[in-house]
Amino acid sequence: MRKIHCLNAISKYGLGFLTQEYELTENIEDADGILLRSASLHETEFSEHVLTIGRAGAGVNNIPLERCAQEGIVVFNTPGANANGVKELVLCGLLLAARDVIGGIDWCRANKADENIGKSAEKAKKAFAGGEIRGKKLGVIGLGAIGAEVANAAAGLGMEVYGYDPFISVNAAWNLSRDVKHITSADIIYAECDYITIHVPLMDSTKGMLNKSNFSRMKDGVVILNFARDLLVNDDDMAEALASGKVRRYVSDFPNAKSANMENAIIIPHLGASTEESEDNCAKMAVIEVMDYLENGNIHNSVNYPECDMGVCKAAARVAVMHRNVPNMIGQVTGMLAAGGINISDMTNKSKNKYAYTLMDLDGVPNATTVQNLRSVDGVLRVRVIQQAE
């Protein structure tokens, strides 16, 4: 019986995909796999039982990825599972920025005691009128799962959409509407677009990328939307741009002490993926990823180890070796199996930066000595024998 520990309230719908070979445990020390959403693991010491961590969501800032990689723990996330929920809120943000709906609602609440509020509203509404988004230019920076959906939906609403992503995948490109103009430089978006929405991961190269320098390249009165990561925007520069009118509206899903006090900003309390459907979809994907890894050694959507899929294990045994990405590792591993009298019927080796993963189907089950010899190879981080006690 494999054991799963949940650090957050994980959707019951998602947990329902666990088969009868799994049970939930309250003790993280006994767990083969961990499921979580926002709980932090940076101070957690993992027992040798922990093989995998599934994050029901895209961001993994709460997980010590490098330490997990060194300990042979595969970390999964769920890209795209919450894309529709975030997309819908981005569209909501576009409309809230285009027309002062919030100001109008506040006016109605402030004047609710007025018996003639209907007539008064006819005089007051000009202050909240705004404009339409149809025909306006929208720049989408980052065309991953969410960015592509936003681009397609905005094009469907009649916006002129520019999309920029130097690392766009083949699948994302195929899924992009032909009405979206795929451009090769963000500078074109900065110079021409009325609305700009950002959908890139937070890295050293993207931190604070929307700043005074790039604001200066934008049209006066531009609207900026940030539903990706808080630190992609330089808050001090944004406050200055809002005060000067260079940026007309800033819509962000990340409240902090600075953004919450900006004039002409619409700050939302991180609701992007907070829908029942998104939580269900993320939980389901995380559960399936974790189960496939535990049962078959397959890796999909890992953030610290490479993709690898050899299907359902039907061999006498399948051995998974997690190791550093260094020369002669395959030769040493296969040599030790040969010395143990074990034939390899199928094998896949993949690498990702400093780490690599070798998955092998065997005609026989390796004995304890052979497994221990594999574990003793310099650079090997973990060895798993699937369909045998680990």
Side-chain angles (χ1 to χ4, degrees):
M1 184 72 72
R2 295 184 174 96
K3 297 181 179 182
I4 302 295
H5 177 75
C6 298
L7 276 172
N8 296 106
I10 302 297
S11 154
K12 291 182 179 179
Y13 170 79
L15 292 177
F17 285 85
L18 290 171
T19 65
Q20 294 180 348
E21 283 122 26
Y22 292 83
E23 65 179 8
L24 299 178
T25 177
E26 294 295 325
N27 188 356
I28 194 172
E29 297 288 325
D30 296 335
D32 300 290
I34 297 171
L35 293 172
L36 79 163
R37 293 170 59 202
S38 58
S40 176
L41 289 175
H42 286 285
E43 303 302 320
T44 302
E45 295 295 327
F46 302 110
S47 77
E48 62 180 11
H49 293 290
V50 177
L51 301 173
T52 178
I53 297 169
R55 161 75 164 99
V60 289
N61 304 41
N62 53 328
I63 303 171
L65 301 181
E66 177 65 17
R67 178 157 62 88
C68 287
Q70 291 176 4
E71 295 181 27
I73 299 172
V74 179
V75 179
F76 296 98
N77 69 346
T78 57
N82 58 12
N84 186 70
V86 179
K87 174 203 73 178
E88 290 185 0
L89 197 63
V90 174
L91 295 178
C92 175
L94 275 170
L95 296 170
L96 290 176
R99 308 179 72 171
D100 190 9
V101 177
I102 294 174
I105 292 172
D106 288 343
W107 182 91
C108 288
R109 286 175 175 165
N111 292 273
K112 63 184 179 182
D114 182 358
E115 293 183 356
N116 296 310
I117 189 172
K119 290 183 178 179
S120 300
E122 291 302 314
K123 298 177 181 178
K125 68 181 184 181
K126 290 182 181 179
F128 317 113
E132 300 178 11
I133 63 173
R134 183 179 179 86
K136 302 299 191 302
K137 293 180 179 179
L138 170 68
V140 181
I141 300 176
L143 296 169
I146 295 171
E149 287 213 20
V150 169
N152 290 345
L157 291 172
M159 300 190 81
E160 187 176 345
V161 182
Y162 293 72
Y164 170 70
D165 190 334
F167 307 109
I168 187 170
S169 68
V170 173
N171 285 339
W174 276 108
N175 291 328
L176 206 60
S177 167
R178 63 181 180 180
D179 294 325
V180 176
K181 300 176 182 178
H182 189 202
I183 60 174
T184 58
S185 171
D187 288 339
I188 298 174
I189 286 177
Y190 295 151
E192 299 191 17
C193 289
D194 307 293
Y195 295 81
I196 296 173
T197 181
I198 188 167
H199 300 280
V200 300
L202 179 62
M203 302 181 293
D204 289 342
S205 60
T206 60
K207 185 176 181 180
M209 65 179 290
L210 292 186
N211 52 34
K212 180 182 293 188
S213 174
N214 285 329
F215 293 152
S216 68
R217 303 174 188 174
M218 298 178 189
K219 298 172 68 171
D220 290 341
V222 67
V223 172
I224 294 176
L225 301 99
N226 178 16
F227 288 78
R229 286 290 178 269
D230 190 11
L231 297 179
L232 295 172
V233 175
N234 182 301
D235 284 332
D236 292 332
D237 292 354
M238 175 60 77
E240 183 179 325
L242 285 166
S244 70
K246 182 66 180 184
V247 176
R248 181 168 61 85
R249 283 269 194 247
Y250 174 45
V251 187
S252 173
D253 200 25
F254 306 100
N256 61 46
K258 292 182 178 180
S259 65
N261 288 282
M262 293 179 188
E263 292 294 326
N264 298 317
I266 299 172
I267 307 301
I268 301 168
H270 203 188
L271 297 180
S274 296
T275 66
E276 182 178 342
E277 295 87 348
S278 288
E279 291 181 6
D280 285 349
N281 290 338
C282 287
K284 175 184 176 182
M285 183 182 288
V287 164
I288 290 173
E289 290 166 349
V290 164
M291 288 198 315
D292 193 21
Y293 176 69
L294 291 176
E295 295 171 20
N296 300 298
N298 297 324
I299 297 178
H300 292 284
N301 298 320
S302 171
V303 291
N304 63 346
Y305 273 94
E307 298 276 310
C308 185
D309 189 342
M310 287 180 58
V312 176
C313 179
K314 296 180 181 179
R318 176 174 287 179
V319 171
V321 182
M322 320 189 77
H323 54 89
R324 300 192 185 280
N325 187 19
V326 294
N328 196 36
M329 187 61 69
I330 303 302
Q332 293 183 79
V333 169
T334 56
M336 289 200 171
L337 287 171
I342 300 295
N343 184 57
I344 301 171
S345 59
D346 196 6
M347 181 176 75
T348 299
N349 170 260
K350 300 290 184 180
S351 63
K352 184 173 186 175
N353 301 321
K354 296 188 297 183
Y355 299 98
Y357 186 59
T358 301
L359 202 57
M360 297 168 288
D361 280 352
L362 310 179
D363 290 341
V365 179
N367 59 35
T369 300
T370 300
V371 174
Q372 185 55 43
N373 287 339
L374 288 172
R375 288 176 174 149
S376 68
V377 174
D378 185 30
V380 167
L381 303 169
R382 189 189 287 268
V383 177
R384 295 179 58 212
V385 180
I386 298 168
Q387 295 187 330
Q388 179 181 290
E390 298 175 332

